[in-house]
Amino acid sequence: APAKEAECRDMIKKICDSFAVSPIAREVLETASVAGKGMDEPYMLQQVEGVGSTGYRSSWWTQFYCILWRSWLSVLKDPMLVKVRLLQTAMVATLIGSIYFGQVLDQDGVMNINGSLFLFLTNMTFQNVFAVINVFSAELPVFLREKRSRLYRVDTYFLGKTIAELPLFIAVPFVFTSITYPMIGLRTGATHYLTTLFIVTLVANVSTSFGYLISCASSSISMALSVGPPV
């Protein structure tokens, strides 16, 4: 207690002194002395039973599979977030398609199409950067604790986490492009549509990777949100 600091210190000292002369303390000391006999190296450097030469109890593929499965379950446990993101993408795509609806290939139409393509890129960039900018920052304490416990490697955690979220970052560009492409009246043909879809998907995933970079480099969510917009 703030007003009873001296009394608390005396109480702690009495408890420690009582434990030091108790049978439990003597048993702990005897166990530690027996376990320490015959060790040429410090105890913390001894190899733990079941741990391989890499320092982990499981192989790389086992770690990757477990992290991937856990990350995938974390995505599935919040289906409302996925629905909201897809709905948001559909609404923005419909808005852009309505603004640039039915363009023709004349001077004004070409300028409008250039503007719509610019919105393609900016929307896919900022939407996906800020969707993942707090992923690793939010899980940093858990990651550090599990990493120090030698549960998994850094690369397996990163790959499992990113691959689990990859389907969503493929579905978002697909929904966006499928709505805006015919509404704006871009070049017809399956080949041209698929080419556009491929490029937009690449832009979205590159932006996602950049968001992961900021998230990994930031020690907290507030720092990530502060660094993200200027960069």
Side-chain angles (χ1 to χ4, degrees):
K4 300 180 180 180
E5 183 177 352
E7 296 180 7
C8 292
R9 290 181 181 273
D10 293 338
M11 182 63 67
I12 293 173
K13 187 176 184 303
K14 291 179 181 179
I15 294 174
C16 294
D17 293 340
S18 300
F19 176 77
V21 297
S22 65
I24 298 177
R26 290 194 295 269
E27 183 179 353
V28 171
L29 290 176
E30 292 175 359
T31 303
S33 61
V34 171
K37 290 181 179 180
M39 287 189 176
D40 297 331
E41 299 179 359
Y43 176 73
M44 294 301 294
L45 297 180
Q46 298 298 314
Q47 187 173 5
V48 181
E49 183 179 357
V51 177
S53 59
T54 59
Y56 300 94
R57 293 182 180 272
S58 57
S59 63
W60 190 94
W61 286 107
T62 303
Q63 298 174 30
F64 173 73
Y65 173 78
C66 293
I67 294 296
L68 178 62
W69 180 248
R70 186 179 72 174
S71 302
W72 178 246
L73 290 180
S74 66
V75 174
L76 294 180
K77 75 177 182 180
D78 195 2
M80 183 58 65
L81 179 61
V82 177
K83 294 178 182 178
V84 168
R85 289 203 59 194
L86 294 177
L87 179 61
Q88 177 187 6
T89 302
M91 293 176 62
V92 173
T94 304
L95 178 61
I96 295 176
S98 301
I99 295 174
Y100 295 97
F101 183 79
Q103 297 299 318
V104 294
L105 292 178
D106 54 12
Q107 184 175 0
D108 293 335
V110 171
M111 295 180 62
N112 292 334
I113 290 174
N114 288 335
S116 66
L117 295 179
F118 174 76
L119 290 179
F120 264 63
L121 299 179
T122 55
N123 183 72
M124 285 294 99
T125 299
F126 288 102
Q127 179 180 354
N128 290 283
V129 166
F130 287 99
V132 300
I133 201 170
N134 61 342
V135 169
F136 294 108
S137 301
E139 296 186 1
L140 185 60
V142 177
F143 166 74
L144 292 177
R145 183 176 68 249
E146 294 178 345
K147 178 64 175 65
R148 289 165 184 165
S149 300
R150 312 292 290 176
L151 293 180
Y152 48 74
R153 300 158 56 99
V154 177
D155 54 348
T156 55
Y157 172 77
F158 180 81
L159 291 175
K161 188 71 177 176
T162 54
I163 293 176
E165 298 179 349
L166 184 61
L168 179 61
F169 295 113
I170 294 178
V172 168
F174 175 78
V175 172
F176 183 83
T177 306
S178 299
I179 295 176
T180 54
Y181 195 92
M183 291 184 67
I184 296 174
L186 298 177
R187 192 171 181 180
T188 58
T191 303
H192 304 297
Y193 165 75
L194 293 176
T195 302
T196 304
L197 178 60
F198 177 72
I199 295 174
V200 173
T201 304
L202 284 181
V203 171
N205 283 273
V206 169
S207 303
T208 302
S209 300
F210 183 72
Y212 284 138
L213 173 64
I214 297 177
S215 182
C216 291
S218 303
S219 59
S220 62
I221 297 177
S222 58
M223 179 180 292
L225 295 176
S226 300
V227 173
V231 175

